[in-house]
Amino acid sequence: MFVDVRGFTRFSAQVQPEEAVSVMNEIFAPVIAAVQEHGGILNKFIGDGLMALFGAPVPTTDHAQGAARAALKARDAIEALAGARRACNLDPLRIGIGLNTGEVVAGCVGTTERAEYSVIGTAVNLAARLEKTAAPGQILLGPE
């Protein structure tokens, strides 16, 4: 699952850095809560986005359903937040989400000096591309 805040670069250029970080954290909190509630883990932050995993490091049979439920809950929470921001005449930042499932290689990636747990494979690449294509408030799913 890849999630990205739409319009954040433009927004962050118009506000103080502290406000940009505060708003990003305000958006990330319900997204991460939705991921964790539905059996996923936050893998990494990627600028104004994030990558979450379902079914790794511990394999599960319902990882796709958990990811879909988390995506819906995250999207709905951020749409509500966008509405509240709009009502206060603030930029109604929204998210785009890409989901895919499939076989991946899971493990530590990096060097002996710095490594992190992640997943690699075509399924991951497609999820990232779907997220890049998703419009604000949209969830795009891979074929699996």
Side-chain angles (χ1 to χ4, degrees):
M1 176 179 176
F2 284 84
V3 178
D4 185 71
V5 180
R6 298 299 187 238
F8 193 78
T9 301
R10 178 187 48 75
F11 168 77
S12 65
Q14 298 171 352
V15 299
Q16 293 298 312
E18 295 83 4
E19 183 180 351
V21 170
S22 177
V23 170
M24 192 170 10
N25 289 338
E26 184 179 18
I27 292 170
F28 282 160
V31 173
I32 294 167
V35 166
Q36 292 173 339
E37 178 182 337
H38 292 285
I41 62 166
L42 170 67
N43 181 239
K44 64 182 89 182
F45 292 106
I46 307 167
D48 60 351
L50 61 83
M51 176 181 170
L53 307 178
F54 295 79
V58 179
T60 61
T61 57
D62 63 346
H63 61 275
Q65 294 88 346
R69 288 184 185 103
L72 288 167
K73 184 163 188 170
R75 192 258 332 258
D76 292 348
I78 301 310
E79 288 295 306
L81 179 60
R85 288 182 58 82
R86 191 179 294 111
C88 295
N89 292 321
L90 298 172
D91 195 333
L93 295 169
R94 299 167 72 203
I95 58 174
I97 301 174
L99 289 180
N100 196 36
T101 187
E103 284 201 32
V104 298
V105 173
C108 288
V109 177
T111 67
T112 55
E113 289 82 31
R114 179 160 166 29
E116 63 182 41
Y117 179 82
S118 196
V119 293
I120 295 176
T122 303
V124 178
N125 296 343
L126 180 55
R129 286 182 173 88
L130 290 168
E131 174 267 304
K132 295 284 183 237
T133 305
Q138 189 176 38
I139 302 167
L140 294 182
L141 307 174
E144 300 296 320

